[in-house]
Amino acid sequence: MLFEPSAIDRQDHPDGHASMHTAVALCGLLPPGSDVAIACGDGTVGMRLFGATPDAPDWLPSLVRRCLAETVPAPAQALLHVLKTPDGACVAVAARLQQPLSEPQRTAWCEMAAAFGLALLETERMRARIEGLEKSKQLQQALYEIADLAGADLEMGQMLQHVHSVLDSLMYAENCYIVEYDEEQQSMRFLYFSDRHDDFVAEPERLYYQRDMPNSLTFALLRHGQAVRGPSPQVRDRLRVDYDALHGPDSKDWLGVPMLREGRVCGAIVVQNYDRALHYTDADRALLAYVAQHVLTAMDRRHAQVQLERRVQLRTQELQRANHDLQDEIQERKRAETLQLALFRIAELAIRSESLQQFYAEVHAIVGGLIDARNLYIALLSDDPKMLEFVYSVDEHSPRRPLRRRGRGLTEYVMRKRRPMLLELAEIEALVAQGEVQEYGTRSHSWLGVPLFDEGEVVGAIVVQSYTTQVRFTEYDQRLLTFVAHNVGGGLARQRAQERLRLAHAELEQRVAERTRELAEVNQQLLAQIAERWRAEQRLTHQALHDALTGLPNRSHLLDRLGEAINRARNGDGMAFAVLFLDLDRFKLVNDSIGHAAGDEMLVEVAKRIVSTLRSDDVVARLGGDEFAILVSCEEGLEGVRELAQRLLGVLGQPMWVAGRELFPSGSLGIAAWHPRYRSGEELLRDADAAMYRAKAQTQDRCAVFDEAMREAALRSLDLEADLRRAIKSGDFEPFYQPIVRLIDGEVVGHEALLRWRHESRGLLVPSQFIDLGEDSGLIEQVDWLLYAQVIQRLARSGTGYVSVNVSPRHFRSPDFTDRLFGLIDTAGADPRRLRVEITEVALLDDAPRTLTILQALRDRGVLAQLDDFGTGFSALSYLHRFPISALKIDQSFVAGLHGESGAGSYALVRSILALASTLGIETIGEGIETEQQLDTLRELGCDYGQGYLLGRPAQHD
């Protein structure tokens, strides 16, 4: 074949010297004074090699060069031989002879020259392959670094700076900047800018608009949408923009590549050269375009990570608010129980107390359990009604209150008014200024007094007061103390009569006993303070390195031990080790269904089981929530770790009783074995965590070992997310309708709309194949609205009976859910009474006031609500009467268990649910009916409606 002039000449390449040496060697086989020229070409890879003896005339090398491109007749003054091979190679050799050669000599020399040329050409091919492989390896490593940067704990600017360093290692990119483009606003942001000759300072948060920069090359590139390279003037001419000195100096070579997301320009990467005699090539353009898409992917992953963290933070705040409301309810219930107990104890004290002081002290203790009563006294009228005796007083400033004549104090004021009085400092000062009261002792900031009555007459008062602004009494405290005072009055009368008899005989002994008790209390307090300080120091040390709930080492402790193990293994004097990452399956369901206290109890039991399974030198740590990490040595290699993991899962899976329920816990284990590439314990935990998610994705109660294939799995998840986004835009989701049948006569009264995804390559997908990804990415709400629109449009067109759609708790947190749903109904002209929503028990308790408001608004328009999967969640029966629920859907697990091994339990549970629903006037629907036996049983128990494969499979049309 002929070789075009575009092939690569290698005369100045090291192999060019090799071709010259080859020519000299071939010349040595000819008579003295001869000259030789050789040319080799490869049309497949596009290269040419030339060589000649030093004294060869110019026409000799020119001759062999021409032979590579065309057929040339042999001149009379030269020996010419041309060899062409089937694989596209060509060797041309010519010699100027001083003496003629015989025919055999000519033949032998030509064959040898051709062999030399082919060998030289093969050597160059191998060199080209090696260079190509090196470049591919360098590019692959760079892309891995860019992918790793997306998951690194770096700010966006730091990440892009590292990306710039990687790009500079692949090509000349000393001057580089990256922009993000908003096509709708016609604006861009400089995410990164580095240029040695341009003093422009980029502000990542600032927006630059196209209307303000009409002559910007960057905006022109973004509008053009394709890669452009060349000197700045040529690029401007091509993109039809004028020169503007405000946009920086011109470069000798300029290369810009747009970043595309689903075919739309969303940014660009630009590199430029000012002073080097280097020009960017098509290969540089292709490389920069390839890197640009990976940078865009890294940026998208970073944005997704930031959005996920924001959603997690918002969800955490919501859970904290819900927990706060729950704690308030618990606290209110505890107050009521405490008050009831206090009244019982006061009634009992009036009978069993041996002395008045004991009675007063125990009343004080009871009151102190209800309100802040650190400063409390009880004042009673003496036998002489003109005197006021303080029979009991505990006070920070006036521990002893002497007997005094009745005057105009606050105590006498409340006795005169014959009603409880709650006074703040300003009110007390006003009463003093008016002359209503006279102050005794230290002034109070908050004062609460309640009169004591005996047979309708005021006999004294019980008072609590505060000397600081931090403690302020409320009307609730006033009602509480008033209620207590009613019970104290009668007890006081009885106790005072008994006390007068005892005081005469026990005054001296009482003084000695009180003094002794005071000294003992002081000594005991001193000893208690010393012991408490020592215990506090021990607790602080332990809490810093251990989990408060389980007592296991915490994350900080584990990372310290991992660091020690890595140092020992890296220095060669330590044993190989592995990290196991354990996550409990469906733990959130335990918390949501039977409470966080039960969840904590379950975690403690799991921690005990893990510790009991391992050796004493292994480290078990709780990282938080339901996640545990285990550091074990690999004395028996990775197989030994696998066996340990399986044994651990077996022990964990044994049943346990928590909060009166038998639970069967399970977990997913990820294993990351020590490798010299690990530099910190965090990296080992990260890979073990990734392996755990692989195990969880496969099935529950499994373990998986981390390998590089898991990175590829993450990329596949990204592909599915991209498919999901495209499917939302193209409307590839459609409802399938499953009939709901009245059991008494078999008539179809409605349908449930079930979501299906008609995937372009994988066919029809059910929600279990993509719902988790949709929830994680937040796209499932858009999918739901596509389904709602199709269902409502079909309701408006034809059909009878109702259609129910599933609504997740996520929608109930949206402020415009009802307005948007009613908008679809009004636009389509559908009858809202034919639409029903199915919600789960979690939605009822997630934000009860908001949920009640939404359900009531739906019911007002005729849209009824059905409670789906009833019995699998909280089963909060006390909430059913608060919410407008029209039907309960009995979960299919209970229906399936009616005639299984646990048939008696399922039968009793279903019967209880039906009885409850009947009492509340709520309809019932049995889900998952697949056998005639199940159908007959539900009909006998009085279930109203049914749904399942026996009664009708989901179909595309209702």
Side-chain angles (χ1 to χ4, degrees), residues 589-590 593-595 598 601-602 655-665 841 871-876 894 909:
L589 180 60
V590 176
S593 58
I594 58 179
E601 183 181 348
M602 180 179 179
M656 67 174 65
W657 285 90
V658 175
R661 292 176 178 266
E662 185 178 19
L663 303 181
F664 294 85
E841 298 175 53
T872 60
F874 291 94
S875 298
F894 301 133
L909 181 60

Side-chain angles (χ1 to χ4, degrees), residues 362-380:
E362 293 189 10
V363 167
H364 183 194
I366 293 172
V367 174
L370 302 174
I371 61 176
D372 190 320
R374 70 186 74 178
N375 303 300
L376 178 143
Y377 66 84
I378 299 175
L380 298 175

